[in-house]
Amino acid sequence: SSGINAEWPLRPGENQILVRDSKGINEEQVKEMKSAFDHFDKNDDGRLDHFEFRACLVSLGYNVDTEEHLVNHNADNDRHSDFERVLQMVDPDMTGQVTFNAFMDFMTQEASDMDTAEQIIASFRVLAGDKRYITPEEIRRELPAHQAEYCIARMSPYEGHDAVPGSLDYMSFATALYGQSDL
């Protein structure tokens, strides 16, 4: 990860500046994240326990699964809950604590995933001639065959009022591909 080595506490504003400069996120985003983190850091030690971290994510609009400790059995392999996977990212040593820097690393990764989804949507919008849907023919005309078939197979039918037969929903495809604010 591209974490910052400086640990909390620094002089007010210093950490936010370091984080913002290293991650390419704007000052308003850093302030919102810092404010949420501080609100849930009840003992002011610059760390959140896992319960506080989960509450912080929920306050920022994330849909965090409520049964963190259940293991979902999947046909491919056994998987931990989404929240447990996030905890492995922000607290890899499982100390029970999430530092502000680990929190910011996670949040900026989430923000960059959203940027990526928005870029993919913008690209499909161009291919679709500014329509809210795309047809399999348009995809096949613009993308290499294997990429086109991959996209077509995974896109849901577009169900807007302006839909044409066979139209596909590239927006939900892009957000599902790159994740959204649901853990």
Side-chain angles (χ1 to χ4, degrees):
S1 126
S2 61
I4 297 170
N5 292 329
E7 280 299 322
W8 203 257
L10 295 172
R11 286 191 303 273
E14 223 172 284
N15 201 39
Q16 290 94 322
I17 293 166
L18 288 170
V19 169
R20 183 188 72 225
D21 291 350
S22 71
K23 305 216 178 282
I25 58 174
N26 70 43
E27 194 170 351
E28 194 56 41
Q29 291 170 305
V30 172
K31 283 180 183 174
E32 180 184 355
M33 292 174 205
K34 178 70 177 121
S35 173
F37 186 93
D38 288 348
H39 176 78
F40 290 96
D41 180 14
K42 298 300 183 197
N43 63 358
D44 283 336
D45 67 352
R47 298 175 180 345
L48 300 179
D49 67 29
H50 291 175
F51 179 80
E52 292 168 333
F53 174 65
R54 183 185 180 288
C56 185
L57 291 178
V58 170
S59 81
L60 290 169
Y62 286 80
N63 178 16
V64 181
D65 55 9
T66 54
E67 307 204 13
E68 292 93 75
H69 302 293
L70 288 181
V71 174
N72 300 323
H73 294 286
N74 182 307
D76 300 328
N77 57 8
D78 290 347
R79 294 197 174 159
H80 293 288
S81 75
D82 292 333
F83 186 66
E84 285 178 347
R85 284 197 300 274
V86 171
L87 285 178
Q88 289 168 359
M89 288 187 277
V90 297
D91 184 12
D93 298 329
M94 295 311 279
T95 63
Q97 301 290 308
V98 178
T99 65
F100 180 67
N101 291 332
F103 173 74
M104 288 301 296
D105 283 346
F106 171 74
M107 295 303 296
T108 53
Q109 179 60 47
E110 287 290 294
S112 72
D113 286 349
M114 282 309 294
D115 291 345
T116 306
E118 289 166 10
Q119 292 164 353
I120 296 296
I121 289 170
S123 298
F124 273 115
R125 185 173 287 127
V126 169
L127 297 181
D130 237 8
K131 299 184 305 287
R132 295 181 60 80
Y133 62 86
I134 194 164
T135 64
E137 296 73 29
E138 289 167 326
I139 295 172
R140 287 185 181 111
R141 183 176 61 234
E142 301 293 340
L143 297 178
H146 68 285
Q147 288 180 4
E149 297 313 313
Y150 175 90
C151 293
I152 292 165
R154 287 162 179 80
M155 283 187 189
S156 303
Y158 174 75
E159 297 178 358
H161 69 285
D162 52 345
V164 300
S167 57
L168 300 170
D169 183 351
Y170 61 84
M171 291 184 204
S172 65
F173 169 76
T175 52
L177 190 63
Y178 285 96
Q180 50 192 18
S181 59
D182 289 344
L183 294 182

